Amino acid sequence: MQIFHHIDSLRKALKEERMAGKRIGFVPTMGNLHDAHIELVKKAQETNDIVVCSIFVNGLQFGLNEDWDKYPRTFQADCDRLRDANCDYLFHPDDREMYPNGMDTQTRVICPTMTDVLCGASRPGHFEGVTTVVTKLFNIVQPDEAVFGLKDYQQLAVIRRMVEDLCMPVQITAGEIHREADGLAMSSRNGYITEDERPRCNQLNKSLNWVADEIQGGRRDFDLLEAEAKKQIEEAGFRIDYFSICDSKTLEAAAVDDAEITILGAMYTSAARLIDNLSISV
């Protein structure tokens, strides 16, 4: 695996691969890699000749009082995992490389839809940071395909809309959610969960599945279902951020005749904010 810290050198290497007719896949990450990240790399390898992974903890998508300073940075361990997975290139820039004129004066990419609800409501400016850095990374790597995890469903939907709106020649592929044995979605933030909380943290996933079963069984009182699910999570000892039943494409509140529904939730442990989702066809 070749490691690059600078845009120019990565572009030069990828230009040679492209001229050789190689198809390039891309997996953007913020590091602290776990099995779910590696599965995204493997998925990219299925349809591409060369796979590029990036590790960049993007300060632009963190709000005030969020965990940018303490976000786990495990670069050497990440390199080992990527080498074991036969990743071809790793791009690991610093803030100066990605934001040479500073973040405050950085040109922004704004997706005006789907970004002020769910995670966007509780994290103002988050998705503006995501769409901006993903646009920059796409311009740097120029991939044929980029793979994102389904766990961040809203992020995936926003990026798909951005790519469509800006006519970017990048195929966006979703990688399945990977879970622990009890159903907890794998996340870099799971390391913040306390030993006391861990046995109860699968409640978010349990509530998602319970609501999905109720809908498949014929219930359409979505407001009441959301309220009941929130109560389940609160009774397990966690604070709710949101629990919403949505149209899978628009992320607007689901209508009773919607055929594709995604149920999304976010909750707080004592030191972590956990998200999860489940999509169903009705």
Side-chain angles (χ1 to χ4, degrees), residues 31-138:
N32 193 32
L33 304 183
H34 47 69
D35 288 350
H37 291 114
I38 301 306
E39 290 301 318
L40 298 181
V41 172
K42 291 179 179 178
K43 190 169 187 67
Q45 289 169 335
E46 293 174 2
T47 50
N48 297 280
D49 304 301
I50 299 294
V51 173
V52 182
C53 183
S54 66
I55 293 177
F56 178 63
V57 184
N58 177 37
L60 201 63
Q61 69 191 65
F62 287 77
L64 292 173
N65 303 315
E66 290 195 329
D67 59 348
W68 182 85
D69 287 335
K70 67 175 183 178
Y71 193 88
R73 292 159 171 84
T74 55
F75 181 68
Q76 291 305 321
D78 293 345
C79 288
D80 291 342
R81 298 205 69 164
L82 290 171
R83 287 192 184 96
D84 289 344
N86 296 315
C87 183
D88 300 289
Y89 293 103
L90 170 60
F91 181 47
H92 183 235
D94 60 15
D95 288 349
R96 183 175 298 179
E97 187 73 9
M98 288 299 291
Y99 299 113
N101 298 309
M103 282 190 287
D104 291 342
T105 57
Q106 166 67 42
T107 300
R108 309 295 178 99
V109 177
I110 299 171
C111 183
T113 62
M114 300 183 288
T115 55
D116 57 357
V117 296
L118 306 172
C119 288
S122 56
R123 303 185 68 187
H126 168 70
F127 286 111
E128 183 177 314
V130 170
T131 49
T132 298
V133 78
V134 170
T135 297
K136 289 173 73 76
L137 288 168
F138 283 178

Side-chain angles (χ1 to χ4, degrees), residues 157-175:
V158 168
I159 289 170
R160 280 177 165 159
R161 178 60 183 267
M162 178 192 76
V163 165
E164 180 181 358
D165 286 351
L166 297 183
C167 306
M168 294 180 173
V170 183
Q171 175 187 337
I172 303 300
T173 299

Side-chain angles (χ1 to χ4, degrees), residues 231-249:
K231 184 178 179 181
Q232 292 173 3
I233 293 166
E234 288 169 347
E235 289 179 346
F238 302 107
R239 179 165 62 90
I240 284 286
D241 184 353
Y242 64 81
F243 194 100
S244 301
I245 302 169
C246 299
D247 176 285
S248 292
K249 183 174 182 180

